[in-house]
Amino acid sequence: MSVFTQRFDRVVIVGGSIAGSLAAAAAAPYFREVLVLDRDQFPTTPQQRNGVPQGAHFHALLAAGRNAMDELLPGFSEQMLEMGAADLDSTADVMRLDRLGWSPRFETPLHFLMASRPLIEFVIRDRAGAIDNVTFRAGVDVVGLLGDNGAVTGVRLAGDGVDELVADLVIDASGRRAKTPEWLAALGYSAAPETLVNAHWGYASTFLRVPENWEPGFKALACVPFGEGALTPESAQRAMAMWVVEGERRWVLTVQGSAGDYPPRQVDELKAFVASIGAPELSDALQAVEFPEKIALWRDTTNRLRDFAGHGDRPENFFSIGDAWAAFNPVYGQGMTSAALQARTLAQELAEHAASGVDSLKGLADRFYGRTSELVSFCWSSSTALDYRLPGVEVTVDGEPQEVQAGSADFSDRLAAWASLDRDRYVKYRETTQLLRSNEWLQDPVVVDEIKQNWDELGQLVKVR
Ligand SMILES: Cc1cc2nc3c(=O)[nH]c(=O)nc-3n(C[C@H](O)[C@H](O)[C@H](O)COP(=O)(O)OP(=O)(O)OC[C@H]3O[C@@H](n4cnc5c(N)ncnc54)[C@H](O)[C@@H]3O)c2cc1C
């Protein structure tokens, strides 16, 4: 790494999970020292840890997220595979049930990495920590920001030892429960508008032990009625996914329910919950496996957007990334990918900044938010669209309840049906849902006209059993 490009002294990153580690990789070429602080302890092997309780639940890594991780941390995929992750064909290996029925199965170049969340995070941190000027410090609780003259100048730490750290840049990657508004308020800044959308989804997850040489005909089984609607009115918005992860005969299982219809913690009750979805293939799979580990529950699935990008009253040399900025309902599997794409944009922004020869970081936060807000808005609209249609959804802006205006799924249902009629088109559609491809082609007037002209026929492909 060239010392020439390291024109700034220190960047402090709060949070050493997915967003923080990827931001460290992005910033490393431009700072003498990259210091990543986390109040939790980091395990020395891929294990569940207290600072990331969501690690007990299944984490889908979208293809775009994997690519961005490979770009920021070359060798990421190889290390994942060496440590036991599975590389699956997104259509041939995955048996997927949605409102159109079972998805077509054929070989494609579109592949996924399947692994547990602890392994994904472990490999990212391991590779980021191997960069010469990146240091991870565990057990360090950041409790506030230092500021001067319109800019953040460092962080305040809890405890009796060194209680302040100065930095040229502070990046907040402290996750879904970030205290950023309080920290900024203490420096005299007004709060950015905060929107919450809560459709009361709940998770129940565990790791399964599957029979030796088990060949059920898939390596991942997913029932995602939430993608385009529900399978039956009684089982509205219940969902399930199970797939191979690293470890001997180990698979992860996650069961989801919305509108306060939370999946239970007991094995038999959980099986009954899945059976109510009305697809015997799901229950058959669960009959074949053992449940050796405890079932973990999760209910904090609120979409939360703090509009830092649109809020002018904020300091220089500070921005939030990942869940600390926008936390999406995890049911749609976008959080890690959004964090990775944000970090990749940060790397591009810093490269351009360095090339311009400017010796100050002034304006960096503005440009970072400006370049990433389209991605965040896209993830926000796709993860809230269905939530708006669910009974009992609560929407607030700055704590004030909002009237909910649910959009119709009629067009998106037919769009999915149209895409499924042709293999190339279907792969293109899946690439779009994996954030590999912009969705502009789906808004092309030719596509829209074709759907309108075949409205009734396409509508008949949408199954409401
Ligand atoms: C149940 C569930 C399922 C999910 N499923 C998926 C999925 O399928 N696919 C997907 O892409 N995403 C999923 N997500 C989202 C995903 O977990 C996050 O988007 C992703 O981890 C990025 O988070 P992050 O790095 O911003 O924050 P986190 O991973 O939450 O990490 C925050 C870090 O900051 C540290 N920290 C917090 N406060 C402080 C402080 N004051 N000082 C120092 N350190 C601090 C914490 O210890 C932690 O290490 C899911 C989330 C949940 C809740």
Side-chain angles (χ1 to χ4, degrees), residues 419-458:
S420 70
L421 293 177
D422 174 273
R423 281 193 177 191
D424 289 344
R425 205 195 280 162
Y426 183 69
V427 172
K428 228 171 138 184
Y429 179 75
R430 299 286 298 145
E431 285 171 354
T432 310
T433 62
Q434 294 294 310
L435 302 184
L436 281 175
R437 184 186 283 280
S438 151
N439 66 343
E440 270 169 26
W441 70 283
L442 293 171
Q443 293 153 11
D444 189 309
V446 177
V447 173
V448 175
D449 280 352
E450 206 173 318
I451 288 164
K452 284 185 180 159
Q453 278 162 20
N454 297 289
W455 190 258
D456 291 340
E457 294 87 326
L458 290 170

mmCIF file of all heavy atoms in Angstrom, residues 419-458:
data_model
loop_
_atom_site.group_PDB
_atom_site.id
_atom_site.type_symbol
_atom_site.label_atom_id
_atom_site.label_comp_id
_atom_site.label_asym_id
_atom_site.label_seq_id
_atom_site.Cartn_x
_atom_site.Cartn_y
_atom_site.Cartn_z
ATOM 1 N N ALA A 419 -41.812 -12.167 -15.647
ATOM 2 C CA ALA A 419 -40.384 -12.521 -15.632
ATOM 3 C C ALA A 419 -40.192 -14.031 -15.611
ATOM 4 O O ALA A 419 -39.253 -14.564 -16.204
ATOM 5 C CB ALA A 419 -39.705 -11.888 -14.423
ATOM 6 N N SER A 420 -41.105 -14.740 -14.965
ATOM 7 C CA SER A 420 -40.907 -16.189 -14.795
ATOM 8 C C SER A 420 -41.207 -16.967 -16.092
ATOM 9 O O SER A 420 -40.949 -18.167 -16.165
ATOM 10 C CB SER A 420 -41.793 -16.714 -13.665
ATOM 11 O OG SER A 420 -43.139 -16.685 -14.075
ATOM 12 N N LEU A 421 -41.754 -16.285 -17.120
ATOM 13 C CA LEU A 421 -42.156 -17.000 -18.336
ATOM 14 C C LEU A 421 -40.990 -17.292 -19.286
ATOM 15 O O LEU A 421 -41.148 -18.039 -20.242
ATOM 16 C CB LEU A 421 -43.222 -16.187 -19.081
ATOM 17 C CG LEU A 421 -44.558 -16.057 -18.342
ATOM 18 C CD1 LEU A 421 -45.512 -15.175 -19.118
ATOM 19 C CD2 LEU A 421 -45.164 -17.441 -18.091
ATOM 20 N N ASP A 422 -39.844 -16.688 -19.022
ATOM 21 C CA ASP A 422 -38.714 -16.863 -19.925
ATOM 22 C C ASP A 422 -37.442 -17.002 -19.073
ATOM 23 O O ASP A 422 -37.236 -16.207 -18.155
ATOM 24 C CB ASP A 422 -38.621 -15.616 -20.827
ATOM 25 C CG ASP A 422 -37.398 -15.631 -21.698
ATOM 26 O OD1 ASP A 422 -36.329 -15.163 -21.235
ATOM 27 O OD2 ASP A 422 -37.513 -16.115 -22.823
ATOM 28 N N ARG A 423 -36.601 -17.978 -19.358
ATOM 29 C CA ARG A 423 -35.455 -18.260 -18.493
ATOM 30 C C ARG A 423 -34.480 -17.092 -18.383
ATOM 31 O O ARG A 423 -34.060 -16.732 -17.287
ATOM 32 C CB ARG A 423 -34.697 -19.495 -18.994
ATOM 33 C CG ARG A 423 -35.392 -20.750 -18.597
ATOM 34 C CD ARG A 423 -34.526 -21.951 -18.808
ATOM 35 N NE ARG A 423 -35.258 -23.111 -18.316
ATOM 36 C CZ ARG A 423 -34.746 -24.303 -18.145
ATOM 37 N NH1 ARG A 423 -33.486 -24.528 -18.441
ATOM 38 N NH2 ARG A 423 -35.474 -25.287 -17.680
ATOM 39 N N ASP A 424 -34.095 -16.512 -19.542
ATOM 40 C CA ASP A 424 -33.129 -15.405 -19.497
ATOM 41 C C ASP A 424 -33.707 -14.230 -18.708
ATOM 42 O O ASP A 424 -33.033 -13.587 -17.915
ATOM 43 C CB ASP A 424 -32.778 -14.928 -20.916
ATOM 44 C CG ASP A 424 -31.931 -15.981 -21.617
ATOM 45 O OD1 ASP A 424 -31.393 -16.864 -20.922
ATOM 46 O OD2 ASP A 424 -31.836 -15.930 -22.865
ATOM 47 N N ARG A 425 -34.977 -13.995 -18.968
ATOM 48 C CA ARG A 425 -35.640 -12.897 -18.291
ATOM 49 C C ARG A 425 -35.726 -13.178 -16.781
ATOM 50 O O ARG A 425 -35.540 -12.288 -15.951
ATOM 51 C CB ARG A 425 -37.060 -12.793 -18.867
ATOM 52 C CG ARG A 425 -37.682 -11.449 -18.760
ATOM 53 C CD ARG A 425 -39.147 -11.594 -19.009
ATOM 54 N NE ARG A 425 -39.485 -11.684 -20.407
ATOM 55 C CZ ARG A 425 -40.659 -12.156 -20.845
ATOM 56 N NH1 ARG A 425 -41.572 -12.578 -19.995
ATOM 57 N NH2 ARG A 425 -40.919 -12.218 -22.123
ATOM 58 N N TYR A 426 -35.965 -14.427 -16.453
ATOM 59 C CA TYR A 426 -36.086 -14.803 -15.039
ATOM 60 C C TYR A 426 -34.745 -14.578 -14.312
ATOM 61 O O TYR A 426 -34.709 -14.040 -13.204
ATOM 62 C CB TYR A 426 -36.518 -16.265 -14.922
ATOM 63 C CG TYR A 426 -36.724 -16.708 -13.491
ATOM 64 C CD1 TYR A 426 -37.791 -16.212 -12.744
ATOM 65 C CD2 TYR A 426 -35.831 -17.586 -12.880
ATOM 66 C CE1 TYR A 426 -37.975 -16.599 -11.425
ATOM 67 C CE2 TYR A 426 -36.007 -17.973 -11.561
ATOM 68 C CZ TYR A 426 -37.085 -17.481 -10.836
ATOM 69 O OH TYR A 426 -37.250 -17.846 -9.530
ATOM 70 N N VAL A 427 -33.644 -14.973 -14.999
ATOM 71 C CA VAL A 427 -32.323 -14.774 -14.379
ATOM 72 C C VAL A 427 -32.076 -13.272 -14.192
ATOM 73 O O VAL A 427 -31.606 -12.827 -13.135
ATOM 74 C CB VAL A 427 -31.207 -15.421 -15.237
ATOM 75 C CG1 VAL A 427 -29.832 -15.057 -14.702
ATOM 76 C CG2 VAL A 427 -31.383 -16.934 -15.270
ATOM 77 N N LYS A 428 -32.444 -12.492 -15.219
ATOM 78 C CA LYS A 428 -32.277 -11.034 -15.133
ATOM 79 C C LYS A 428 -33.092 -10.463 -13.960
ATOM 80 O O LYS A 428 -32.635 -9.587 -13.222
ATOM 81 C CB LYS A 428 -32.791 -10.415 -16.441
ATOM 82 C CG LYS A 428 -31.865 -9.408 -17.065
ATOM 83 C CD LYS A 428 -32.385 -9.048 -18.453
ATOM 84 C CE LYS A 428 -32.267 -7.562 -18.681
ATOM 85 N NZ LYS A 428 -32.811 -7.103 -19.940
ATOM 86 N N TYR A 429 -34.275 -11.004 -13.797
ATOM 87 C CA TYR A 429 -35.149 -10.551 -12.705
ATOM 88 C C TYR A 429 -34.536 -10.904 -11.345
ATOM 89 O O TYR A 429 -34.505 -10.098 -10.421
ATOM 90 C CB TYR A 429 -36.518 -11.225 -12.871
ATOM 91 C CG TYR A 429 -37.531 -10.871 -11.805
ATOM 92 C CD1 TYR A 429 -38.157 -9.633 -11.804
ATOM 93 C CD2 TYR A 429 -37.855 -11.785 -10.812
ATOM 94 C CE1 TYR A 429 -39.091 -9.299 -10.833
ATOM 95 C CE2 TYR A 429 -38.795 -11.467 -9.831
ATOM 96 C CZ TYR A 429 -39.406 -10.221 -9.849
ATOM 97 O OH TYR A 429 -40.322 -9.906 -8.882
ATOM 98 N N ARG A 430 -34.000 -12.138 -11.252
ATOM 99 C CA ARG A 430 -33.361 -12.555 -9.994
ATOM 100 C C ARG A 430 -32.120 -11.697 -9.721
ATOM 101 O O ARG A 430 -31.842 -11.353 -8.582
ATOM 102 C CB ARG A 430 -32.968 -14.039 -10.055
ATOM 103 C CG ARG A 430 -34.125 -14.995 -10.265
ATOM 104 C CD ARG A 430 -34.997 -15.197 -9.040
ATOM 105 N NE ARG A 430 -34.269 -15.760 -7.945
ATOM 106 C CZ ARG A 430 -34.484 -15.472 -6.662
ATOM 107 N NH1 ARG A 430 -35.417 -14.609 -6.333
ATOM 108 N NH2 ARG A 430 -33.772 -16.034 -5.723
ATOM 109 N N GLU A 431 -31.392 -11.356 -10.795
ATOM 110 C CA GLU A 431 -30.220 -10.485 -10.608
ATOM 111 C C GLU A 431 -30.653 -9.122 -10.065
ATOM 112 O O GLU A 431 -29.953 -8.517 -9.260
ATOM 113 C CB GLU A 431 -29.482 -10.281 -11.946
ATOM 114 C CG GLU A 431 -28.689 -11.506 -12.359
ATOM 115 C CD GLU A 431 -28.135 -11.410 -13.773
ATOM 116 O OE1 GLU A 431 -28.463 -10.434 -14.494
ATOM 117 O OE2 GLU A 431 -27.392 -12.312 -14.167
ATOM 118 N N THR A 432 -31.822 -8.679 -10.496
ATOM 119 C CA THR A 432 -32.326 -7.389 -10.015
ATOM 120 C C THR A 432 -32.676 -7.487 -8.532
ATOM 121 O O THR A 432 -32.335 -6.594 -7.753
ATOM 122 C CB THR A 432 -33.567 -6.963 -10.841
ATOM 123 O OG1 THR A 432 -33.239 -7.080 -12.224
ATOM 124 C CG2 THR A 432 -33.983 -5.545 -10.529
ATOM 125 N N THR A 433 -33.316 -8.589 -8.147
ATOM 126 C CA THR A 433 -33.678 -8.732 -6.735
ATOM 127 C C THR A 433 -32.425 -8.950 -5.868
ATOM 128 O O THR A 433 -32.454 -8.698 -4.676
ATOM 129 C CB THR A 433 -34.673 -9.896 -6.495
ATOM 130 O OG1 THR A 433 -34.044 -11.112 -6.898
ATOM 131 C CG2 THR A 433 -35.958 -9.713 -7.253
ATOM 132 N N GLN A 434 -31.348 -9.388 -6.512
ATOM 133 C CA GLN A 434 -30.081 -9.559 -5.777
ATOM 134 C C GLN A 434 -29.242 -8.282 -5.801
ATOM 135 O O GLN A 434 -28.062 -8.289 -5.461
ATOM 136 C CB GLN A 434 -29.265 -10.691 -6.415
ATOM 137 C CG GLN A 434 -29.902 -12.063 -6.296
ATOM 138 C CD GLN A 434 -29.956 -12.525 -4.866
ATOM 139 O OE1 GLN A 434 -28.953 -12.492 -4.155
ATOM 140 N NE2 GLN A 434 -31.119 -12.928 -4.416
ATOM 141 N N LEU A 435 -29.847 -7.193 -6.264
ATOM 142 C CA LEU A 435 -29.214 -5.870 -6.357
ATOM 143 C C LEU A 435 -27.982 -5.848 -7.260
ATOM 144 O O LEU A 435 -27.130 -4.979 -7.152
ATOM 145 C CB LEU A 435 -28.844 -5.322 -4.957
ATOM 146 C CG LEU A 435 -29.973 -5.175 -3.948
ATOM 147 C CD1 LEU A 435 -29.479 -4.527 -2.659
ATOM 148 C CD2 LEU A 435 -31.115 -4.355 -4.496
ATOM 149 N N LEU A 436 -27.889 -6.854 -8.165
ATOM 150 C CA LEU A 436 -26.770 -6.889 -9.108
ATOM 151 C C LEU A 436 -27.054 -6.012 -10.308
ATOM 152 O O LEU A 436 -26.160 -5.611 -11.027
ATOM 153 C CB LEU A 436 -26.571 -8.319 -9.636
ATOM 154 C CG LEU A 436 -25.852 -9.305 -8.751
ATOM 155 C CD1 LEU A 436 -25.867 -10.667 -9.402
ATOM 156 C CD2 LEU A 436 -24.422 -8.866 -8.476
ATOM 157 N N ARG A 437 -28.323 -5.792 -10.556
ATOM 158 C CA ARG A 437 -28.751 -5.090 -11.763
ATOM 159 C C ARG A 437 -29.780 -4.032 -11.352
ATOM 160 O O ARG A 437 -30.628 -4.294 -10.496
ATOM 161 C CB ARG A 437 -29.398 -6.138 -12.680
ATOM 162 C CG ARG A 437 -29.830 -5.671 -14.014
ATOM 163 C CD ARG A 437 -30.571 -6.795 -14.721
ATOM 164 N NE ARG A 437 -29.711 -7.825 -15.277
ATOM 165 C CZ ARG A 437 -29.056 -7.725 -16.428
ATOM 166 N NH1 ARG A 437 -29.165 -6.627 -17.141
ATOM 167 N NH2 ARG A 437 -28.309 -8.711 -16.867
ATOM 168 N N SER A 438 -29.681 -2.858 -11.967
ATOM 169 C CA SER A 438 -30.656 -1.800 -11.668
ATOM 170 C C SER A 438 -32.050 -2.266 -12.110
ATOM 171 O O SER A 438 -32.178 -3.047 -13.054
ATOM 172 C CB SER A 438 -30.247 -0.534 -12.413
ATOM 173 O OG SER A 438 -31.374 0.229 -12.701
ATOM 174 N N ASN A 439 -33.066 -1.750 -11.462
ATOM 175 C CA ASN A 439 -34.429 -2.162 -11.842
ATOM 176 C C ASN A 439 -35.000 -1.315 -12.969
ATOM 177 O O ASN A 439 -36.179 -1.426 -13.303
ATOM 178 C CB ASN A 439 -35.366 -2.131 -10.623
ATOM 179 C CG ASN A 439 -35.565 -0.725 -10.116
ATOM 180 O OD1 ASN A 439 -34.796 0.154 -10.456
ATOM 181 N ND2 ASN A 439 -36.580 -0.518 -9.304
ATOM 182 N N GLU A 440 -34.147 -0.494 -13.599
ATOM 183 C CA GLU A 440 -34.654 0.392 -14.661
ATOM 184 C C GLU A 440 -35.314 -0.392 -15.800
ATOM 185 O O GLU A 440 -36.321 0.032 -16.358
ATOM 186 C CB GLU A 440 -33.509 1.232 -15.232
ATOM 187 C CG GLU A 440 -33.342 2.532 -14.480
ATOM 188 C CD GLU A 440 -32.071 3.251 -14.850
ATOM 189 O OE1 GLU A 440 -31.584 3.040 -15.967
ATOM 190 O OE2 GLU A 440 -31.574 4.007 -13.994
ATOM 191 N N TRP A 441 -34.718 -1.558 -16.145
ATOM 192 C CA TRP A 441 -35.272 -2.315 -17.277
ATOM 193 C C TRP A 441 -36.711 -2.757 -17.017
ATOM 194 O O TRP A 441 -37.491 -2.936 -17.939
ATOM 195 C CB TRP A 441 -34.375 -3.521 -17.618
ATOM 196 C CG TRP A 441 -34.393 -4.634 -16.594
ATOM 197 C CD1 TRP A 441 -33.752 -4.657 -15.397
ATOM 198 C CD2 TRP A 441 -35.077 -5.890 -16.694
ATOM 199 N NE1 TRP A 441 -33.987 -5.833 -14.728
ATOM 200 C CE2 TRP A 441 -34.799 -6.612 -15.507
ATOM 201 C CE3 TRP A 441 -35.900 -6.474 -17.654
ATOM 202 C CZ2 TRP A 441 -35.322 -7.886 -15.268
ATOM 203 C CZ3 TRP A 441 -36.408 -7.747 -17.403
ATOM 204 C CH2 TRP A 441 -36.117 -8.431 -16.219
ATOM 205 N N LEU A 442 -37.080 -2.884 -15.735
ATOM 206 C CA LEU A 442 -38.447 -3.297 -15.406
ATOM 207 C C LEU A 442 -39.442 -2.138 -15.547
ATOM 208 O O LEU A 442 -40.647 -2.340 -15.532
ATOM 209 C CB LEU A 442 -38.495 -3.857 -13.985
ATOM 210 C CG LEU A 442 -37.742 -5.181 -13.788
ATOM 211 C CD1 LEU A 442 -37.647 -5.547 -12.324
ATOM 212 C CD2 LEU A 442 -38.412 -6.300 -14.570
ATOM 213 N N GLN A 443 -38.878 -0.925 -15.646
ATOM 214 C CA GLN A 443 -39.771 0.232 -15.822
ATOM 215 C C GLN A 443 -39.834 0.680 -17.283
ATOM 216 O O GLN A 443 -40.487 1.663 -17.616
ATOM 217 C CB GLN A 443 -39.262 1.397 -14.962
ATOM 218 C CG GLN A 443 -39.389 1.113 -13.484
ATOM 219 C CD GLN A 443 -38.351 1.864 -12.656
ATOM 220 O OE1 GLN A 443 -37.671 2.733 -13.155
ATOM 221 N NE2 GLN A 443 -38.233 1.500 -11.403
ATOM 222 N N ASP A 444 -39.128 -0.037 -18.137
ATOM 223 C CA ASP A 444 -39.128 0.289 -19.561
ATOM 224 C C ASP A 444 -40.572 0.247 -20.085
ATOM 225 O O ASP A 444 -41.313 -0.706 -19.817
ATOM 226 C CB ASP A 444 -38.270 -0.761 -20.287
ATOM 227 C CG ASP A 444 -38.026 -0.393 -21.740
ATOM 228 O OD1 ASP A 444 -39.018 -0.102 -22.439
ATOM 229 O OD2 ASP A 444 -36.864 -0.404 -22.156
ATOM 230 N N PRO A 445 -40.997 1.275 -20.859
ATOM 231 C CA PRO A 445 -42.384 1.311 -21.347
ATOM 232 C C PRO A 445 -42.769 0.041 -22.121
ATOM 233 O O PRO A 445 -43.921 -0.390 -22.077
ATOM 234 C CB PRO A 445 -42.405 2.526 -22.279
ATOM 235 C CG PRO A 445 -41.272 3.386 -21.822
ATOM 236 C CD PRO A 445 -40.247 2.483 -21.207
ATOM 237 N N VAL A 446 -41.791 -0.575 -22.808
ATOM 238 C CA VAL A 446 -42.112 -1.795 -23.561
ATOM 239 C C VAL A 446 -42.543 -2.896 -22.587
ATOM 240 O O VAL A 446 -43.520 -3.628 -22.818
ATOM 241 C CB VAL A 446 -40.873 -2.257 -24.382
ATOM 242 C CG1 VAL A 446 -41.151 -3.554 -25.106
ATOM 243 C CG2 VAL A 446 -40.438 -1.166 -25.333
ATOM 244 N N VAL A 447 -41.794 -3.014 -21.468
ATOM 245 C CA VAL A 447 -42.115 -4.029 -20.460
ATOM 246 C C VAL A 447 -43.473 -3.715 -19.833
ATOM 247 O O VAL A 447 -44.359 -4.583 -19.715
ATOM 248 C CB VAL A 447 -41.015 -4.072 -19.355
ATOM 249 C CG1 VAL A 447 -41.412 -4.998 -18.223
ATOM 250 C CG2 VAL A 447 -39.679 -4.487 -19.968
ATOM 251 N N VAL A 448 -43.644 -2.456 -19.448
ATOM 252 C CA VAL A 448 -44.892 -2.061 -18.774
ATOM 253 C C VAL A 448 -46.091 -2.332 -19.698
ATOM 254 O O VAL A 448 -47.113 -2.891 -19.276
ATOM 255 C CB VAL A 448 -44.826 -0.568 -18.353
ATOM 256 C CG1 VAL A 448 -46.161 -0.111 -17.771
ATOM 257 C CG2 VAL A 448 -43.706 -0.366 -17.334
ATOM 258 N N ASP A 449 -45.931 -1.995 -21.008
ATOM 259 C CA ASP A 449 -47.034 -2.228 -21.968
ATOM 260 C C ASP A 449 -47.355 -3.718 -22.079
ATOM 261 O O ASP A 449 -48.526 -4.113 -22.118
ATOM 262 C CB ASP A 449 -46.652 -1.703 -23.365
ATOM 263 C CG ASP A 449 -46.847 -0.206 -23.435
ATOM 264 O OD1 ASP A 449 -47.410 0.344 -22.467
ATOM 265 O OD2 ASP A 449 -46.409 0.397 -24.427
ATOM 266 N N GLU A 450 -46.289 -4.529 -22.144
ATOM 267 C CA GLU A 450 -46.505 -5.971 -22.295
ATOM 268 C C GLU A 450 -47.301 -6.515 -21.101
ATOM 269 O O GLU A 450 -48.190 -7.359 -21.262
ATOM 270 C CB GLU A 450 -45.151 -6.679 -22.413
ATOM 271 C CG GLU A 450 -45.264 -7.978 -23.177
ATOM 272 C CD GLU A 450 -43.907 -8.607 -23.447
ATOM 273 O OE1 GLU A 450 -42.954 -7.880 -23.791
ATOM 274 O OE2 GLU A 450 -43.815 -9.837 -23.299
ATOM 275 N N ILE A 451 -46.971 -6.001 -19.936
ATOM 276 C CA ILE A 451 -47.690 -6.474 -18.739
ATOM 277 C C ILE A 451 -49.148 -6.003 -18.778
ATOM 278 O O ILE A 451 -50.071 -6.779 -18.510
ATOM 279 C CB ILE A 451 -46.958 -6.002 -17.465
ATOM 280 C CG1 ILE A 451 -45.678 -6.823 -17.361
ATOM 281 C CG2 ILE A 451 -47.814 -6.177 -16.213
ATOM 282 C CD1 ILE A 451 -44.658 -6.291 -16.441
ATOM 283 N N LYS A 452 -49.332 -4.771 -19.185
ATOM 284 C CA LYS A 452 -50.715 -4.251 -19.233
ATOM 285 C C LYS A 452 -51.547 -5.018 -20.264
ATOM 286 O O LYS A 452 -52.713 -5.330 -20.030
ATOM 287 C CB LYS A 452 -50.704 -2.766 -19.561
ATOM 288 C CG LYS A 452 -50.285 -1.925 -18.352
ATOM 289 C CD LYS A 452 -50.384 -0.459 -18.656
ATOM 290 C CE LYS A 452 -49.975 0.363 -17.446
ATOM 291 N NZ LYS A 452 -49.592 1.718 -17.827
ATOM 292 N N GLN A 453 -50.893 -5.323 -21.407
ATOM 293 C CA GLN A 453 -51.640 -6.027 -22.467
ATOM 294 C C GLN A 453 -52.015 -7.449 -22.052
ATOM 295 O O GLN A 453 -52.968 -8.026 -22.555
ATOM 296 C CB GLN A 453 -50.803 -6.072 -23.739
ATOM 297 C CG GLN A 453 -50.898 -4.769 -24.530
ATOM 298 C CD GLN A 453 -49.755 -4.643 -25.526
ATOM 299 O OE1 GLN A 453 -49.130 -5.640 -25.878
ATOM 300 N NE2 GLN A 453 -49.487 -3.433 -25.958
ATOM 301 N N ASN A 454 -51.214 -8.034 -21.165
ATOM 302 C CA ASN A 454 -51.482 -9.426 -20.757
ATOM 303 C C ASN A 454 -51.934 -9.504 -19.304
ATOM 304 O O ASN A 454 -51.657 -10.488 -18.610
ATOM 305 C CB ASN A 454 -50.206 -10.267 -20.956
ATOM 306 C CG ASN A 454 -49.801 -10.314 -22.414
ATOM 307 O OD1 ASN A 454 -50.459 -10.944 -23.225
ATOM 308 N ND2 ASN A 454 -48.748 -9.598 -22.759
ATOM 309 N N TRP A 455 -52.572 -8.462 -18.873
ATOM 310 C CA TRP A 455 -52.915 -8.293 -17.457
ATOM 311 C C TRP A 455 -53.652 -9.507 -16.874
ATOM 312 O O TRP A 455 -53.267 -10.060 -15.846
ATOM 313 C CB TRP A 455 -53.743 -7.025 -17.306
ATOM 314 C CG TRP A 455 -53.965 -6.592 -15.890
ATOM 315 C CD1 TRP A 455 -55.088 -6.762 -15.141
ATOM 316 C CD2 TRP A 455 -53.022 -5.895 -15.061
ATOM 317 N NE1 TRP A 455 -54.923 -6.221 -13.887
ATOM 318 C CE2 TRP A 455 -53.653 -5.682 -13.809
ATOM 319 C CE3 TRP A 455 -51.714 -5.439 -15.231
ATOM 320 C CZ2 TRP A 455 -53.016 -5.033 -12.753
ATOM 321 C CZ3 TRP A 455 -51.092 -4.791 -14.180
ATOM 322 C CH2 TRP A 455 -51.740 -4.597 -12.964
ATOM 323 N N ASP A 456 -54.715 -9.935 -17.564
ATOM 324 C CA ASP A 456 -55.538 -11.009 -16.991
ATOM 325 C C ASP A 456 -54.803 -12.341 -16.991
ATOM 326 O O ASP A 456 -54.825 -13.069 -15.996
ATOM 327 C CB ASP A 456 -56.852 -11.147 -17.767
ATOM 328 C CG ASP A 456 -57.728 -9.930 -17.527
ATOM 329 O OD1 ASP A 456 -57.484 -9.225 -16.516
ATOM 330 O OD2 ASP A 456 -58.614 -9.661 -18.351
ATOM 331 N N GLU A 457 -54.117 -12.639 -18.118
ATOM 332 C CA GLU A 457 -53.396 -13.915 -18.194
ATOM 333 C C GLU A 457 -52.309 -13.964 -17.120
ATOM 334 O O GLU A 457 -52.143 -14.986 -16.442
ATOM 335 C CB GLU A 457 -52.714 -14.094 -19.571
ATOM 336 C CG GLU A 457 -53.678 -14.238 -20.725
ATOM 337 C CD GLU A 457 -54.098 -12.868 -21.309
ATOM 338 O OE1 GLU A 457 -54.207 -11.898 -20.546
ATOM 339 O OE2 GLU A 457 -54.339 -12.813 -22.514
ATOM 340 N N LEU A 458 -51.577 -12.859 -16.969
ATOM 341 C CA LEU A 458 -50.510 -12.847 -15.955
ATOM 342 C C LEU A 458 -51.105 -12.967 -14.550
ATOM 343 O O LEU A 458 -50.569 -13.651 -13.682
ATOM 344 C CB LEU A 458 -49.666 -11.565 -16.072
ATOM 345 C CG LEU A 458 -48.784 -11.488 -17.326
ATOM 346 C CD1 LEU A 458 -48.173 -10.089 -17.481
ATOM 347 C CD2 LEU A 458 -47.669 -12.535 -17.282
#
